[in-house]
């Protein structure tokens, strides 16, 4: 848990909220003894052991940043502002439906902080960033939501009054120079959780988090009326930027790389008598590792465990040394390194196989 401003995620780091937004500080004397990180498409959990090697207690504000919106999907469900507006619309338009209640089960809604085995209350910090600059004050001045998803109205609406509200907001965003003429938001929303933490002199502190990640996704639909490779290439074309991040030429925990696996799955789906019954899914889970460098020295013991989907595949958009990735059982891969120095953030791709 190291914090930093960065779409399965994030390490803790010391920080503060100032005029320029969230600022992260070096923390001399406090060492991360261990980081044990588990990632799957449905769960991220992490355990840290810190030690204060100084002779004085240190009390600092610790931040845990949520990754920016995923590049693979609008991922509307995780944003609290979007969730609230959708719930209000659902309750208004369908009072007898239980859909609004289901919306509670959203990514990050179950985020927790456990310190030395006990739950700790935390605060939530929401910021708007444009070209790396904090522009939250502009949104506050004009009472505008920070969510780019609400700005572009890329979520379901039913009533004319809701569409009208969206249109009025879009006009104001454009007037303020926050949106292109085509309606594309020019900022990102950054959310961080933070709390005040004391690290006693000469003692260890164990901090744990778990949450449901906001996974980006892309899906491929088989079609047996045309050659499978032709259909696949057509569907892959809009995802060129995403493919370049998946390191498709380097297998990760298996004999096949992501693209070869995808082709195999697509052929299998296309040869089915009813391929429309199934789709091939690829999920993206991100995790911020780079802020781990805010603590003194490297992470003494770093362990990453990845849950591999049954019959699926895992690929990484972060240059982990493949030779150090081991299969610890039939469905889990593990990377372990001593004196680990994070130099980038983690991006894991999960290929979910076609099923009829």
């Amino acid at each position: 848990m190291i914090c930093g401003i960065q779409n399965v995620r994030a390490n803790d780091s010391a920080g503060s909220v100032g005029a320029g937004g969230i600022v992260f500080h070096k923390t001399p004397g406090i060492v991360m003894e261990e980081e044990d990180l588990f990632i799957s498409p449905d769960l991220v959990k992490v355990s840290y052991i810190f030690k204060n090697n100084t002779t004085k207690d240190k009390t600092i504000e610790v931040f845990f940043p949520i990754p920016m919106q995923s590049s693979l999907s609008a991922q509307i469900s995780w944003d609290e502002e979007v969730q609230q507006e959708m719930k209000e619309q659902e309750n208004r338009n369908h009072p007898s439906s239980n859909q609004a209640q289901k919306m509670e089960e959203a990514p990050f809604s179950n985020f927790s902080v456990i310190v030395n085995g006990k739950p700790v209350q935390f605060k939530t910090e929401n910021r708007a960033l444009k070209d790396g600059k904090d522009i939250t004050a502009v949104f506050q001045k004009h009472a505008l939501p920070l969510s780019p998803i609400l700005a572009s109205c890329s979520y379901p609406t039913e009533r004319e009054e809701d569409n009208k509200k969206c249109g009025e907001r879009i006009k104001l965003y454009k007037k303020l120079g926050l949106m292109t003429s085509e309606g594309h938001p020019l900022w990102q929303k950054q959310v961080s959780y933070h709390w005040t933490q004391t690290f006693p002199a000469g003692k260890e502190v164990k901090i744990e988090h778990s949450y449901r990640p906001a996974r980006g996704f892309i899906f491929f639909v088989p079609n047996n009326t045309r050659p499978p490779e032709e259909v696949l290439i057509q569907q892959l074309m809009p995802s060129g930027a995403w493919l370049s991040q998946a390191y498709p030429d380097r297998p990760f925990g298996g004999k096949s790389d992501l693209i070869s696996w995808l082709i195999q799955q697509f052929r299998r789906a296309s040869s089915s008598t009813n391929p429309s019954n199934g789709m091939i899914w690829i999920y993206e889970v991100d995790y911020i590792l780079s802020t781990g460098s805010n603590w003194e020295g490297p992470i003494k013991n770093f362990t990453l465990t990845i849950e591999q989907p049954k019959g699926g595949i895992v690929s990484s958009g972060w240059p982990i040394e493949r030779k150090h990735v081991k299969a610890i059982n039939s469905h889990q891969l593990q990377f372990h390194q001593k004196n680990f120095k994070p130099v980038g953030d983690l991006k894991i791709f999960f290929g979910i196989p076609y099923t009829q």
Side-chain angles (χ1 to χ4, degrees):
M1 109 183 133
I2 298 169
C3 156
I5 294 185
Q6 160 288 1
N7 183 255
V8 275
R9 80 224 290 18
N11 266 349
D12 287 342
S13 179
S16 64
V17 179
I22 295 174
V23 180
F24 302 108
H25 309 298
K26 291 286 184 180
T27 313
I30 299 180
V31 175
M32 190 184 292
E33 297 281 338
E34 294 182 15
E35 176 173 358
D36 193 345
L37 173 62
F38 173 90
I39 295 180
S40 77
D42 302 307
L43 174 67
V44 172
K45 58 182 179 179
V46 60
S47 173
Y48 310 89
I49 296 179
F50 296 95
K51 186 175 182 180
N52 180 355
N53 287 329
T54 71
T55 57
K56 295 182 179 180
D57 293 355
K58 291 197 173 188
T59 299
I60 58 178
E61 198 71 8
V62 176
F63 282 75
F64 187 95
I66 294 174
M68 295 291 191
Q69 184 175 312
S70 169
S71 59
L72 289 187
S73 164
Q75 194 61 46
I76 64 174
S77 61
W78 75 266
D79 190 289
E80 186 178 354
E81 289 178 300
V82 179
Q83 188 184 27
Q84 184 60 36
E85 184 150 324
M86 291 179 66
K87 284 169 63 178
E88 290 174 359
Q89 289 186 28
E90 185 67 26
N91 284 327
R92 184 170 62 247
N93 298 334
H94 306 281
S96 60
S97 170
N98 65 350
Q99 187 61 34
Q101 184 178 357
K102 292 181 180 179
M103 291 180 188
E104 296 285 357
E105 302 172 5
F108 301 109
S109 62
N110 61 343
F111 179 83
S112 63
V113 180
I114 308 293
V115 179
N116 292 333
K118 296 181 179 180
V120 170
Q121 295 295 315
F122 56 89
K123 298 178 182 178
T124 303
E125 190 69 31
N126 296 289
R127 296 280 161 173
L129 304 176
K130 181 183 178 185
D131 300 326
K133 182 180 178 181
D134 190 329
I135 58 169
T136 309
V138 177
F139 292 81
Q140 294 172 340
K141 179 180 178 180
H142 295 277
L144 287 168
L146 272 63
S147 170
I149 299 168
L150 283 182
S152 57
C153 300
S154 53
Y155 62 99
T157 57
E158 291 186 35
R159 292 191 175 189
E160 181 60 31
E161 62 188 84
D162 296 325
N163 292 327
K164 183 179 179 181
K165 182 180 179 180
C166 281
E168 291 172 350
R169 277 201 302 234
I170 287 176
K171 288 180 181 178
L172 183 52
Y173 283 121
K174 290 180 178 179
K175 182 179 179 181
L176 294 171
L178 299 172
M179 182 178 281
T180 67
S181 57
E182 293 83 12
H184 301 301
L186 296 173
W187 78 95
Q188 291 178 298
K189 181 178 178 180
Q190 172 69 65
V191 180
S192 292
Y193 302 122
H194 63 102
W195 68 98
T196 303
Q197 181 64 53
T198 297
F199 296 88
K203 295 184 178 180
E204 293 184 345
V205 174
K206 183 176 183 178
I207 302 179
E208 301 169 87
H209 302 302
S210 66
Y211 58 91
R212 188 178 301 104
R215 60 190 187 189
F217 64 88
I218 188 169
F219 62 88
F220 301 91
V221 183
N223 180 347
N224 61 6
T225 64
R226 296 162 59 194
E229 288 81 4
E230 180 182 327
V231 179
L232 179 59
I233 290 173
Q234 183 183 41
Q235 294 185 23
L236 283 174
M237 287 178 67
S239 308
W242 161 75
L243 288 173
S244 67
Q245 301 177 73
Y247 293 93
D249 59 325
R250 293 196 281 175
F252 186 54
K255 296 180 180 180
S256 177
D257 60 69
L258 183 61
I259 302 304
S260 298
W261 175 88
L262 184 57
I263 292 172
Q264 180 187 50
Q265 291 294 317
F266 211 83
R267 284 175 176 165
R268 176 169 168 256
S270 297
S271 64
S272 169
T273 55
N274 192 2
S276 61
N277 285 345
M279 293 185 292
I280 305 160
W281 292 84
I282 294 178
Y283 291 115
E284 171 198 339
V285 178
D286 293 0
Y287 191 89
I288 301 171
L289 279 173
S290 54
T291 50
S293 59
N294 285 1
W295 305 94
E296 184 172 284
I299 302 170
K300 289 190 177 181
N301 280 287
F302 175 77
T303 302
L304 167 65
T305 303
I306 302 171
E307 184 91 2
Q308 187 162 348
K310 185 177 180 180
I313 195 170
V314 173
S315 182
S316 172
W318 186 69
I320 295 174
E321 293 184 57
R322 268 49 177 178
K323 63 181 180 180
H324 296 309
V325 177
K326 309 295 183 183
I328 58 175
N329 53 46
S330 61
H331 60 282
Q332 289 185 335
L333 306 170
Q334 194 168 87
F335 169 82
H336 177 78
Q337 186 171 316
K338 293 182 178 294
N339 298 317
F340 177 69
K341 295 181 179 180
V343 294
D345 295 326
L346 186 59
K347 185 181 294 291
I348 302 292
F349 299 97
F350 296 90
I352 310 297
Y354 166 83
T355 55
Q356 287 186 292

